[in-house]
Amino acid sequence: MPTDRKALINDIRRFNRLYTGLIGLLDETFLHSAYTLTEARVLFELGRRPGHIAPVAGGKTGFLARALQLDLAPAASEIARALQLDAGYVIRILRKFSAAGLTETRSGPDVMRRRILSLTQRGLAALTSLQAAADRDLARLTAALGDEEAVELSDMLARLSSLLDTAVASDRLEMP
Amino acid sequence: MPTDRKALINDIRRFNRLYTGLIGLLDETFLHSAYTLTEARVLFELGRRPGHIAPVAGGKTGFLARALQLDLAPAASEIARALQLDAGYVIRILRKFSAAGLTETRSGPDVMRRRILSLTQRGLAALTSLQAAADRDLARLTAALGDEEAVELSDMLARLSSLLDTAVASDRLEMP
DNA sequence: GCAGAAAACTTGGCTATGTCAACTATTTAG
DNA sequence: CTAAATAGTTGACATAGCCAAGTTTTCTGC
């Protein structure tokens, strides 16, 4: 292995340590909320998927939809995959949400298709409030940065995301 | 709040999502090892602190040492703080390590100062093996990147660490 | 359109992870 | 010397999250 790769790996490890600590700090926001950390993540994930906010009436979840990468696939399993969580665990969280009136299953005439979830107004409100809290903390955290540094940081994060995406994607292809 | 700050916060959130997923992938390395994720983190932390590998005989842990930021402070509490874990929890992990012969408490002539830990040869071996596994995974992950990209990534991580350090540090000062 | 495969859902049981409160021992500050 | 901090220690407890096994629903090949 070339030297620069060793250096890179070392740098990633160092950064990992730093960022893990930072995430720990930011997560406190959620711990002070009415939801657990994972519940919050699930809530965010529900909000991120338009298909779950406003499900297409009668939308098919079959081969075609999947091929087109439509976001209409069943909720629990998809969220579990996205967040790397156990499916059973996610189901329980979703049921808790449902019981709290945050989500609803707008089942059309076809009762079987019970899996498509959507956020209720109440769920959307909960999400918005969580987002606001998280934003407030991030604003506080980045308050010390100058305007130039802020822009620099944004640019780096974007580039970094792109690089990591490439890496992760090709890693996935190799070892599925 | 200026527009660029909102953009920055959004970018951070996006990056957070990506990186959280990445960390989840990398953590699998440890889950497949003989240690749990947290145990592995504690082991790494022990290895990171030279004071714990080779404690200075008779080293003082008092006011002076603290003022000079010497790394001779008691093990458990320090590790707990660094990793944001409960002290009692850390103690138990450390005892488990001790029982497995990974660490030892080399108490000097002063019996009272029973807190300084060090890794045994066996502990060091365990750590080395874990590091190797983690390195292997990181190498695989970054294999798809070109040499130029690797260097670019290293540079960005360093710069990013510096920016985040600044932010976190001044955040701590404001709200201790 | 039907049989079997694949994928999603669901549940119970379990371990690891982590919290909390209480108490003791030691160290530091005044 | 005394107070207050700081560390360590322990038990009891709660939660998070995984696993395996079973059920239901959807997809695929014929």
Side-chain angles (χ1 to χ4, degrees), chain B residues 26-50:
Chain B
L26 295 176
D27 283 350
E28 279 179 33
T29 313
F30 300 122
L31 295 181
H32 296 154
S33 80
Y35 308 95
T36 69
L37 178 57
T38 313
E39 284 169 354
R41 291 181 70 204
V42 171
L43 200 48
F44 269 88
E45 199 62 25
L46 282 172
R48 261 173 48 75
R49 301 173 179 273

mmCIF file with all atom_site columns, all heavy atoms in Angstrom, chain B residues 26-50:
data_model
loop_
_atom_site.group_PDB
_atom_site.id
_atom_site.type_symbol
_atom_site.label_atom_id
_atom_site.label_alt_id
_atom_site.label_comp_id
_atom_site.label_asym_id
_atom_site.label_entity_id
_atom_site.label_seq_id
_atom_site.pdbx_PDB_ins_code
_atom_site.Cartn_x
_atom_site.Cartn_y
_atom_site.Cartn_z
_atom_site.occupancy
_atom_site.B_iso_or_equiv
_atom_site.pdbx_formal_charge
_atom_site.auth_seq_id
_atom_site.auth_comp_id
_atom_site.auth_asym_id
_atom_site.auth_atom_id
_atom_site.pdbx_PDB_model_num
ATOM 1   N N   . LEU B 1 26 ? -18.502 1.384   9.004  1.00 0.00 ? 26 LEU B N   1
ATOM 2   C CA  . LEU B 1 26 ? -17.177 1.096   9.546  1.00 0.00 ? 26 LEU B CA  1
ATOM 3   C C   . LEU B 1 26 ? -17.260 0.378   10.886 1.00 0.00 ? 26 LEU B C   1
ATOM 4   O O   . LEU B 1 26 ? -16.407 -0.440  11.219 1.00 0.00 ? 26 LEU B O   1
ATOM 5   C CB  . LEU B 1 26 ? -16.382 2.395   9.683  1.00 0.00 ? 26 LEU B CB  1
ATOM 6   C CG  . LEU B 1 26 ? -16.074 3.083   8.350  1.00 0.00 ? 26 LEU B CG  1
ATOM 7   C CD1 . LEU B 1 26 ? -15.372 4.397   8.573  1.00 0.00 ? 26 LEU B CD1 1
ATOM 8   C CD2 . LEU B 1 26 ? -15.243 2.169   7.463  1.00 0.00 ? 26 LEU B CD2 1
ATOM 9   N N   . ASP B 1 27 ? -18.300 0.698   11.639 1.00 0.00 ? 27 ASP B N   1
ATOM 10  C CA  . ASP B 1 27 ? -18.430 0.071   12.955 1.00 0.00 ? 27 ASP B CA  1
ATOM 11  C C   . ASP B 1 27 ? -18.661 -1.429  12.861 1.00 0.00 ? 27 ASP B C   1
ATOM 12  O O   . ASP B 1 27 ? -18.399 -2.158  13.813 1.00 0.00 ? 27 ASP B O   1
ATOM 13  C CB  . ASP B 1 27 ? -19.580 0.713   13.738 1.00 0.00 ? 27 ASP B CB  1
ATOM 14  C CG  . ASP B 1 27 ? -19.182 2.059   14.302 1.00 0.00 ? 27 ASP B CG  1
ATOM 15  O OD1 . ASP B 1 27 ? -17.970 2.385   14.240 1.00 0.00 ? 27 ASP B OD1 1
ATOM 16  O OD2 . ASP B 1 27 ? -20.056 2.785   14.790 1.00 0.00 ? 27 ASP B OD2 1
ATOM 17  N N   . GLU B 1 28 ? -19.141 -1.858  11.715 1.00 0.00 ? 28 GLU B N   1
ATOM 18  C CA  . GLU B 1 28 ? -19.367 -3.296  11.561 1.00 0.00 ? 28 GLU B CA  1
ATOM 19  C C   . GLU B 1 28 ? -18.085 -4.086  11.759 1.00 0.00 ? 28 GLU B C   1
ATOM 20  O O   . GLU B 1 28 ? -18.107 -5.219  12.243 1.00 0.00 ? 28 GLU B O   1
ATOM 21  C CB  . GLU B 1 28 ? -19.960 -3.589  10.180 1.00 0.00 ? 28 GLU B CB  1
ATOM 22  C CG  . GLU B 1 28 ? -21.454 -3.335  10.127 1.00 0.00 ? 28 GLU B CG  1
ATOM 23  C CD  . GLU B 1 28 ? -22.024 -3.609  8.753  1.00 0.00 ? 28 GLU B CD  1
ATOM 24  O OE1 . GLU B 1 28 ? -21.520 -4.505  8.073  1.00 0.00 ? 28 GLU B OE1 1
ATOM 25  O OE2 . GLU B 1 28 ? -22.970 -2.886  8.362  1.00 0.00 ? 28 GLU B OE2 1
ATOM 26  N N   . THR B 1 29 ? -16.990 -3.472  11.404 1.00 0.00 ? 29 THR B N   1
ATOM 27  C CA  . THR B 1 29 ? -15.700 -4.108  11.636 1.00 0.00 ? 29 THR B CA  1
ATOM 28  C C   . THR B 1 29 ? -15.575 -4.568  13.087 1.00 0.00 ? 29 THR B C   1
ATOM 29  O O   . THR B 1 29 ? -15.143 -5.681  13.368 1.00 0.00 ? 29 THR B O   1
ATOM 30  C CB  . THR B 1 29 ? -14.564 -3.097  11.378 1.00 0.00 ? 29 THR B CB  1
ATOM 31  O OG1 . THR B 1 29 ? -14.804 -2.438  10.152 1.00 0.00 ? 29 THR B OG1 1
ATOM 32  C CG2 . THR B 1 29 ? -13.225 -3.804  11.345 1.00 0.00 ? 29 THR B CG2 1
ATOM 33  N N   . PHE B 1 30 ? -15.952 -3.670  13.986 1.00 0.00 ? 30 PHE B N   1
ATOM 34  C CA  . PHE B 1 30 ? -15.784 -3.973  15.401 1.00 0.00 ? 30 PHE B CA  1
ATOM 35  C C   . PHE B 1 30 ? -16.824 -4.973  15.874 1.00 0.00 ? 30 PHE B C   1
ATOM 36  O O   . PHE B 1 30 ? -16.546 -5.807  16.730 1.00 0.00 ? 30 PHE B O   1
ATOM 37  C CB  . PHE B 1 30 ? -15.881 -2.690  16.215 1.00 0.00 ? 30 PHE B CB  1
ATOM 38  C CG  . PHE B 1 30 ? -14.841 -1.690  15.830 1.00 0.00 ? 30 PHE B CG  1
ATOM 39  C CD1 . PHE B 1 30 ? -15.202 -0.436  15.401 1.00 0.00 ? 30 PHE B CD1 1
ATOM 40  C CD2 . PHE B 1 30 ? -13.500 -2.028  15.878 1.00 0.00 ? 30 PHE B CD2 1
ATOM 41  C CE1 . PHE B 1 30 ? -14.230 0.481   15.036 1.00 0.00 ? 30 PHE B CE1 1
ATOM 42  C CE2 . PHE B 1 30 ? -12.524 -1.119  15.518 1.00 0.00 ? 30 PHE B CE2 1
ATOM 43  C CZ  . PHE B 1 30 ? -12.905 0.144   15.087 1.00 0.00 ? 30 PHE B CZ  1
ATOM 44  N N   . LEU B 1 31 ? -18.005 -4.883  15.298 1.00 0.00 ? 31 LEU B N   1
ATOM 45  C CA  . LEU B 1 31 ? -19.055 -5.803  15.714 1.00 0.00 ? 31 LEU B CA  1
ATOM 46  C C   . LEU B 1 31 ? -18.679 -7.240  15.386 1.00 0.00 ? 31 LEU B C   1
ATOM 47  O O   . LEU B 1 31 ? -19.105 -8.171  16.050 1.00 0.00 ? 31 LEU B O   1
ATOM 48  C CB  . LEU B 1 31 ? -20.377 -5.427  15.038 1.00 0.00 ? 31 LEU B CB  1
ATOM 49  C CG  . LEU B 1 31 ? -20.926 -4.059  15.468 1.00 0.00 ? 31 LEU B CG  1
ATOM 50  C CD1 . LEU B 1 31 ? -22.241 -3.762  14.779 1.00 0.00 ? 31 LEU B CD1 1
ATOM 51  C CD2 . LEU B 1 31 ? -21.107 -4.022  16.980 1.00 0.00 ? 31 LEU B CD2 1
ATOM 52  N N   . HIS B 1 32 ? -17.871 -7.402  14.356 1.00 0.00 ? 32 HIS B N   1
ATOM 53  C CA  . HIS B 1 32 ? -17.446 -8.752  13.998 1.00 0.00 ? 32 HIS B CA  1
ATOM 54  C C   . HIS B 1 32 ? -16.243 -9.202  14.809 1.00 0.00 ? 32 HIS B C   1
ATOM 55  O O   . HIS B 1 32 ? -15.773 -10.321 14.656 1.00 0.00 ? 32 HIS B O   1
ATOM 56  C CB  . HIS B 1 32 ? -17.113 -8.824  12.498 1.00 0.00 ? 32 HIS B CB  1
ATOM 57  C CG  . HIS B 1 32 ? -18.293 -8.574  11.627 1.00 0.00 ? 32 HIS B CG  1
ATOM 58  N ND1 . HIS B 1 32 ? -18.205 -8.083  10.356 1.00 0.00 ? 32 HIS B ND1 1
ATOM 59  C CD2 . HIS B 1 32 ? -19.611 -8.718  11.852 1.00 0.00 ? 32 HIS B CD2 1
ATOM 60  C CE1 . HIS B 1 32 ? -19.413 -7.942  9.840  1.00 0.00 ? 32 HIS B CE1 1
ATOM 61  N NE2 . HIS B 1 32 ? -20.282 -8.318  10.733 1.00 0.00 ? 32 HIS B NE2 1
ATOM 62  N N   . SER B 1 33 ? -15.721 -8.317  15.611 1.00 0.00 ? 33 SER B N   1
ATOM 63  C CA  . SER B 1 33 ? -14.559 -8.668  16.415 1.00 0.00 ? 33 SER B CA  1
ATOM 64  C C   . SER B 1 33 ? -15.004 -9.261  17.748 1.00 0.00 ? 33 SER B C   1
ATOM 65  O O   . SER B 1 33 ? -16.191 -9.439  18.010 1.00 0.00 ? 33 SER B O   1
ATOM 66  C CB  . SER B 1 33 ? -13.714 -7.430  16.673 1.00 0.00 ? 33 SER B CB  1
ATOM 67  O OG  . SER B 1 33 ? -14.271 -6.676  17.728 1.00 0.00 ? 33 SER B OG  1
ATOM 68  N N   . ALA B 1 34 ? -14.051 -9.553  18.571 1.00 0.00 ? 34 ALA B N   1
ATOM 69  C CA  . ALA B 1 34 ? -14.355 -10.153 19.873 1.00 0.00 ? 34 ALA B CA  1
ATOM 70  C C   . ALA B 1 34 ? -14.917 -9.114  20.834 1.00 0.00 ? 34 ALA B C   1
ATOM 71  O O   . ALA B 1 34 ? -15.423 -9.461  21.899 1.00 0.00 ? 34 ALA B O   1
ATOM 72  C CB  . ALA B 1 34 ? -13.096 -10.781 20.457 1.00 0.00 ? 34 ALA B CB  1
ATOM 73  N N   . TYR B 1 35 ? -14.863 -7.845  20.448 1.00 0.00 ? 35 TYR B N   1
ATOM 74  C CA  . TYR B 1 35 ? -15.275 -6.786  21.359 1.00 0.00 ? 35 TYR B CA  1
ATOM 75  C C   . TYR B 1 35 ? -16.521 -6.070  20.855 1.00 0.00 ? 35 TYR B C   1
ATOM 76  O O   . TYR B 1 35 ? -16.785 -6.037  19.653 1.00 0.00 ? 35 TYR B O   1
ATOM 77  C CB  . TYR B 1 35 ? -14.130 -5.787  21.548 1.00 0.00 ? 35 TYR B CB  1
ATOM 78  C CG  . TYR B 1 35 ? -12.865 -6.471  21.941 1.00 0.00 ? 35 TYR B CG  1
ATOM 79  C CD1 . TYR B 1 35 ? -11.915 -6.825  20.996 1.00 0.00 ? 35 TYR B CD1 1
ATOM 80  C CD2 . TYR B 1 35 ? -12.643 -6.807  23.277 1.00 0.00 ? 35 TYR B CD2 1
ATOM 81  C CE1 . TYR B 1 35 ? -10.765 -7.499  21.362 1.00 0.00 ? 35 TYR B CE1 1
ATOM 82  C CE2 . TYR B 1 35 ? -11.494 -7.473  23.652 1.00 0.00 ? 35 TYR B CE2 1
ATOM 83  C CZ  . TYR B 1 35 ? -10.563 -7.818  22.690 1.00 0.00 ? 35 TYR B CZ  1
ATOM 84  O OH  . TYR B 1 35 ? -9.430  -8.489  23.061 1.00 0.00 ? 35 TYR B OH  1
ATOM 85  N N   . THR B 1 36 ? -17.239 -5.500  21.774 1.00 0.00 ? 36 THR B N   1
ATOM 86  C CA  . THR B 1 36 ? -18.365 -4.681  21.363 1.00 0.00 ? 36 THR B CA  1
ATOM 87  C C   . THR B 1 36 ? -17.821 -3.339  20.892 1.00 0.00 ? 36 THR B C   1
ATOM 88  O O   . THR B 1 36 ? -16.654 -2.997  21.128 1.00 0.00 ? 36 THR B O   1
ATOM 89  C CB  . THR B 1 36 ? -19.342 -4.448  22.526 1.00 0.00 ? 36 THR B CB  1
ATOM 90  O OG1 . THR B 1 36 ? -18.711 -3.600  23.486 1.00 0.00 ? 36 THR B OG1 1
ATOM 91  C CG2 . THR B 1 36 ? -19.734 -5.749  23.177 1.00 0.00 ? 36 THR B CG2 1
ATOM 92  N N   . LEU B 1 37 ? -18.696 -2.579  20.269 1.00 0.00 ? 37 LEU B N   1
ATOM 93  C CA  . LEU B 1 37 ? -18.280 -1.299  19.729 1.00 0.00 ? 37 LEU B CA  1
ATOM 94  C C   . LEU B 1 37 ? -17.695 -0.392  20.807 1.00 0.00 ? 37 LEU B C   1
ATOM 95  O O   . LEU B 1 37 ? -16.621 0.198   20.626 1.00 0.00 ? 37 LEU B O   1
ATOM 96  C CB  . LEU B 1 37 ? -19.500 -0.636  19.088 1.00 0.00 ? 37 LEU B CB  1
ATOM 97  C CG  . LEU B 1 37 ? -19.280 0.742   18.503 1.00 0.00 ? 37 LEU B CG  1
ATOM 98  C CD1 . LEU B 1 37 ? -18.178 0.696   17.478 1.00 0.00 ? 37 LEU B CD1 1
ATOM 99  C CD2 . LEU B 1 37 ? -20.567 1.242   17.884 1.00 0.00 ? 37 LEU B CD2 1
ATOM 100 N N   . THR B 1 38 ? -18.372 -0.320  21.933 1.00 0.00 ? 38 THR B N   1
ATOM 101 C CA  . THR B 1 38 ? -17.904 0.566   22.987 1.00 0.00 ? 38 THR B CA  1
ATOM 102 C C   . THR B 1 38 ? -16.604 0.071   23.592 1.00 0.00 ? 38 THR B C   1
ATOM 103 O O   . THR B 1 38 ? -15.710 0.865   23.899 1.00 0.00 ? 38 THR B O   1
ATOM 104 C CB  . THR B 1 38 ? -18.974 0.700   24.075 1.00 0.00 ? 38 THR B CB  1
ATOM 105 O OG1 . THR B 1 38 ? -20.235 0.943   23.462 1.00 0.00 ? 38 THR B OG1 1
ATOM 106 C CG2 . THR B 1 38 ? -18.635 1.839   25.005 1.00 0.00 ? 38 THR B CG2 1
ATOM 107 N N   . GLU B 1 39 ? -16.502 -1.226  23.763 1.00 0.00 ? 39 GLU B N   1
ATOM 108 C CA  . GLU B 1 39 ? -15.248 -1.778  24.262 1.00 0.00 ? 39 GLU B CA  1
ATOM 109 C C   . GLU B 1 39 ? -14.101 -1.404  23.330 1.00 0.00 ? 39 GLU B C   1
ATOM 110 O O   . GLU B 1 39 ? -13.020 -1.004  23.787 1.00 0.00 ? 39 GLU B O   1
ATOM 111 C CB  . GLU B 1 39 ? -15.350 -3.299  24.384 1.00 0.00 ? 39 GLU B CB  1
ATOM 112 C CG  . GLU B 1 39 ? -16.169 -3.762  25.590 1.00 0.00 ? 39 GLU B CG  1
ATOM 113 C CD  . GLU B 1 39 ? -16.492 -5.253  25.547 1.00 0.00 ? 39 GLU B CD  1
ATOM 114 O OE1 . GLU B 1 39 ? -16.163 -5.896  24.521 1.00 0.00 ? 39 GLU B OE1 1
ATOM 115 O OE2 . GLU B 1 39 ? -17.079 -5.751  26.504 1.00 0.00 ? 39 GLU B OE2 1
ATOM 116 N N   . ALA B 1 40 ? -14.357 -1.518  22.056 1.00 0.00 ? 40 ALA B N   1
ATOM 117 C CA  . ALA B 1 40 ? -13.321 -1.173  21.087 1.00 0.00 ? 40 ALA B CA  1
ATOM 118 C C   . ALA B 1 40 ? -12.919 0.293   21.228 1.00 0.00 ? 40 ALA B C   1
ATOM 119 O O   . ALA B 1 40 ? -11.731 0.633   21.205 1.00 0.00 ? 40 ALA B O   1
ATOM 120 C CB  . ALA B 1 40 ? -13.803 -1.447  19.672 1.00 0.00 ? 40 ALA B CB  1
ATOM 121 N N   . ARG B 1 41 ? -13.909 1.142   21.416 1.00 0.00 ? 41 ARG B N   1
ATOM 122 C CA  . ARG B 1 41 ? -13.600 2.567   21.552 1.00 0.00 ? 41 ARG B CA  1
ATOM 123 C C   . ARG B 1 41 ? -12.738 2.808   22.788 1.00 0.00 ? 41 ARG B C   1
ATOM 124 O O   . ARG B 1 41 ? -11.792 3.595   22.760 1.00 0.00 ? 41 ARG B O   1
ATOM 125 C CB  . ARG B 1 41 ? -14.891 3.385   21.642 1.00 0.00 ? 41 ARG B CB  1
ATOM 126 C CG  . ARG B 1 41 ? -15.680 3.406   20.351 1.00 0.00 ? 41 ARG B CG  1
ATOM 127 C CD  . ARG B 1 41 ? -16.930 4.254   20.497 1.00 0.00 ? 41 ARG B CD  1
ATOM 128 N NE  . ARG B 1 41 ? -16.645 5.676   20.612 1.00 0.00 ? 41 ARG B NE  1
ATOM 129 C CZ  . ARG B 1 41 ? -17.456 6.560   21.191 1.00 0.00 ? 41 ARG B CZ  1
ATOM 130 N NH1 . ARG B 1 41 ? -18.580 6.159   21.733 1.00 0.00 ? 41 ARG B NH1 1
ATOM 131 N NH2 . ARG B 1 41 ? -17.135 7.833   21.229 1.00 0.00 ? 41 ARG B NH2 1
ATOM 132 N N   . VAL B 1 42 ? -13.081 2.122   23.869 1.00 0.00 ? 42 VAL B N   1
ATOM 133 C CA  . VAL B 1 42 ? -12.300 2.282   25.098 1.00 0.00 ? 42 VAL B CA  1
ATOM 134 C C   . VAL B 1 42 ? -10.875 1.785   24.882 1.00 0.00 ? 42 VAL B C   1
ATOM 135 O O   . VAL B 1 42 ? -9.904  2.420   25.308 1.00 0.00 ? 42 VAL B O   1
ATOM 136 C CB  . VAL B 1 42 ? -12.967 1.526   26.265 1.00 0.00 ? 42 VAL B CB  1
ATOM 137 C CG1 . VAL B 1 42 ? -12.056 1.498   27.476 1.00 0.00 ? 42 VAL B CG1 1
ATOM 138 C CG2 . VAL B 1 42 ? -14.291 2.169   26.633 1.00 0.00 ? 42 VAL B CG2 1
ATOM 139 N N   . LEU B 1 43 ? -10.768 0.670   24.194 1.00 0.00 ? 43 LEU B N   1
ATOM 140 C CA  . LEU B 1 43 ? -9.444  0.114   23.918 1.00 0.00 ? 43 LEU B CA  1
ATOM 141 C C   . LEU B 1 43 ? -8.603  1.109   23.108 1.00 0.00 ? 43 LEU B C   1
ATOM 142 O O   . LEU B 1 43 ? -7.438  1.365   23.422 1.00 0.00 ? 43 LEU B O   1
ATOM 143 C CB  . LEU B 1 43 ? -9.599  -1.203  23.161 1.00 0.00 ? 43 LEU B CB  1
ATOM 144 C CG  . LEU B 1 43 ? -8.427  -2.182  23.164 1.00 0.00 ? 43 LEU B CG  1
ATOM 145 C CD1 . LEU B 1 43 ? -7.895  -2.397  24.552 1.00 0.00 ? 43 LEU B CD1 1
ATOM 146 C CD2 . LEU B 1 43 ? -8.861  -3.508  22.551 1.00 0.00 ? 43 LEU B CD2 1
ATOM 147 N N   . PHE B 1 44 ? -9.198  1.686   22.096 1.00 0.00 ? 44 PHE B N   1
ATOM 148 C CA  . PHE B 1 44 ? -8.498  2.687   21.300 1.00 0.00 ? 44 PHE B CA  1
ATOM 149 C C   . PHE B 1 44 ? -8.076  3.861   22.171 1.00 0.00 ? 44 PHE B C   1
ATOM 150 O O   . PHE B 1 44 ? -6.961  4.382   22.042 1.00 0.00 ? 44 PHE B O   1
ATOM 151 C CB  . PHE B 1 44 ? -9.404  3.185   20.170 1.00 0.00 ? 44 PHE B CB  1
ATOM 152 C CG  . PHE B 1 44 ? -9.267  2.403   18.907 1.00 0.00 ? 44 PHE B CG  1
ATOM 153 C CD1 . PHE B 1 44 ? -10.036 1.271   18.704 1.00 0.00 ? 44 PHE B CD1 1
ATOM 154 C CD2 . PHE B 1 44 ? -8.368  2.777   17.929 1.00 0.00 ? 44 PHE B CD2 1
ATOM 155 C CE1 . PHE B 1 44 ? -9.919  0.538   17.546 1.00 0.00 ? 44 PHE B CE1 1
ATOM 156 C CE2 . PHE B 1 44 ? -8.243  2.040   16.762 1.00 0.00 ? 44 PHE B CE2 1
ATOM 157 C CZ  . PHE B 1 44 ? -9.011  0.921   16.572 1.00 0.00 ? 44 PHE B CZ  1
ATOM 158 N N   . GLU B 1 45 ? -8.973  4.265   23.041 1.00 0.00 ? 45 GLU B N   1
ATOM 159 C CA  . GLU B 1 45 ? -8.686  5.417   23.879 1.00 0.00 ? 45 GLU B CA  1
ATOM 160 C C   . GLU B 1 45 ? -7.520  5.118   24.825 1.00 0.00 ? 45 GLU B C   1
ATOM 161 O O   . GLU B 1 45 ? -6.680  5.974   25.066 1.00 0.00 ? 45 GLU B O   1
ATOM 162 C CB  . GLU B 1 45 ? -9.947  5.789   24.678 1.00 0.00 ? 45 GLU B CB  1
ATOM 163 C CG  . GLU B 1 45 ? -9.949  7.194   25.233 1.00 0.00 ? 45 GLU B CG  1
ATOM 164 C CD  . GLU B 1 45 ? -9.889  8.261   24.154 1.00 0.00 ? 45 GLU B CD  1
ATOM 165 O OE1 . GLU B 1 45 ? -10.314 7.981   23.011 1.00 0.00 ? 45 GLU B OE1 1
ATOM 166 O OE2 . GLU B 1 45 ? -9.383  9.368   24.460 1.00 0.00 ? 45 GLU B OE2 1
ATOM 167 N N   . LEU B 1 46 ? -7.487  3.908   25.327 1.00 0.00 ? 46 LEU B N   1
ATOM 168 C CA  . LEU B 1 46 ? -6.363  3.508   26.171 1.00 0.00 ? 46 LEU B CA  1
ATOM 169 C C   . LEU B 1 46 ? -5.061  3.575   25.380 1.00 0.00 ? 46 LEU B C   1
ATOM 170 O O   . LEU B 1 46 ? -4.038  4.042   25.885 1.00 0.00 ? 46 LEU B O   1
ATOM 171 C CB  . LEU B 1 46 ? -6.564  2.081   26.688 1.00 0.00 ? 46 LEU B CB  1
ATOM 172 C CG  . LEU B 1 46 ? -7.541  1.900   27.850 1.00 0.00 ? 46 LEU B CG  1
ATOM 173 C CD1 . LEU B 1 46 ? -7.789  0.427   28.119 1.00 0.00 ? 46 LEU B CD1 1
ATOM 174 C CD2 . LEU B 1 46 ? -7.000  2.582   29.104 1.00 0.00 ? 46 LEU B CD2 1
ATOM 175 N N   . GLY B 1 47 ? -5.120  3.117   24.154 1.00 0.00 ? 47 GLY B N   1
ATOM 176 C CA  . GLY B 1 47 ? -3.933  3.105   23.326 1.00 0.00 ? 47 GLY B CA  1
ATOM 177 C C   . GLY B 1 47 ? -3.455  4.495   22.934 1.00 0.00 ? 47 GLY B C   1
ATOM 178 O O   . GLY B 1 47 ? -2.274  4.725   22.713 1.00 0.00 ? 47 GLY B O   1
ATOM 179 N N   . ARG B 1 48 ? -4.398  5.415   22.847 1.00 0.00 ? 48 ARG B N   1
ATOM 180 C CA  . ARG B 1 48 ? -4.072  6.768   22.427 1.00 0.00 ? 48 ARG B CA  1
ATOM 181 C C   . ARG B 1 48 ? -3.313  7.558   23.472 1.00 0.00 ? 48 ARG B C   1
ATOM 182 O O   . ARG B 1 48 ? -2.720  8.591   23.163 1.00 0.00 ? 48 ARG B O   1
ATOM 183 C CB  . ARG B 1 48 ? -5.369  7.523   22.138 1.00 0.00 ? 48 ARG B CB  1
ATOM 184 C CG  . ARG B 1 48 ? -5.758  7.604   20.693 1.00 0.00 ? 48 ARG B CG  1
ATOM 185 C CD  . ARG B 1 48 ? -7.128  8.227   20.569 1.00 0.00 ? 48 ARG B CD  1
ATOM 186 N NE  . ARG B 1 48 ? -7.288  9.440   21.349 1.00 0.00 ? 48 ARG B NE  1
ATOM 187 C CZ  . ARG B 1 48 ? -6.760  10.619  21.022 1.00 0.00 ? 48 ARG B CZ  1
ATOM 188 N NH1 . ARG B 1 48 ? -6.022  10.724  19.943 1.00 0.00 ? 48 ARG B NH1 1
ATOM 189 N NH2 . ARG B 1 48 ? -6.977  11.675  21.772 1.00 0.00 ? 48 ARG B NH2 1
ATOM 190 N N   . ARG B 1 49 ? -3.397  7.109   24.716 1.00 0.00 ? 49 ARG B N   1
ATOM 191 C CA  . ARG B 1 49 ? -2.840  7.902   25.803 1.00 0.00 ? 49 ARG B CA  1
ATOM 192 C C   . ARG B 1 49 ? -1.553  7.281   26.320 1.00 0.00 ? 49 ARG B C   1
ATOM 193 O O   . ARG B 1 49 ? -1.591  6.312   27.053 1.00 0.00 ? 49 ARG B O   1
ATOM 194 C CB  . ARG B 1 49 ? -3.853  8.017   26.930 1.00 0.00 ? 49 ARG B CB  1
ATOM 195 C CG  . ARG B 1 49 ? -5.118  8.662   26.441 1.00 0.00 ? 49 ARG B CG  1
ATOM 196 C CD  . ARG B 1 49 ? -6.192  8.643   27.470 1.00 0.00 ? 49 ARG B CD  1
ATOM 197 N NE  . ARG B 1 49 ? -7.365  9.294   26.927 1.00 0.00 ? 49 ARG B NE  1
ATOM 198 C CZ  . ARG B 1 49 ? -7.576  10.605  27.000 1.00 0.00 ? 49 ARG B CZ  1
ATOM 199 N NH1 . ARG B 1 49 ? -6.719  11.368  27.638 1.00 0.00 ? 49 ARG B NH1 1
ATOM 200 N NH2 . ARG B 1 49 ? -8.636  11.147  26.456 1.00 0.00 ? 49 ARG B NH2 1
ATOM 201 N N   . PRO B 1 50 ? -0.443  7.851   25.917 1.00 0.00 ? 50 PRO B N   1
ATOM 202 C CA  . PRO B 1 50 ? 0.846   7.293   26.298 1.00 0.00 ? 50 PRO B CA  1
ATOM 203 C C   . PRO B 1 50 ? 0.938   7.141   27.812 1.00 0.00 ? 50 PRO B C   1
ATOM 204 O O   . PRO B 1 50 ? 1.528   6.192   28.316 1.00 0.00 ? 50 PRO B O   1
ATOM 205 C CB  . PRO B 1 50 ? 1.846   8.338   25.813 1.00 0.00 ? 50 PRO B CB  1
ATOM 206 C CG  . PRO B 1 50 ? 1.121   9.137   24.798 1.00 0.00 ? 50 PRO B CG  1
ATOM 207 C CD  . PRO B 1 50 ? -0.323  9.110   25.202 1.00 0.00 ? 50 PRO B CD  1
#
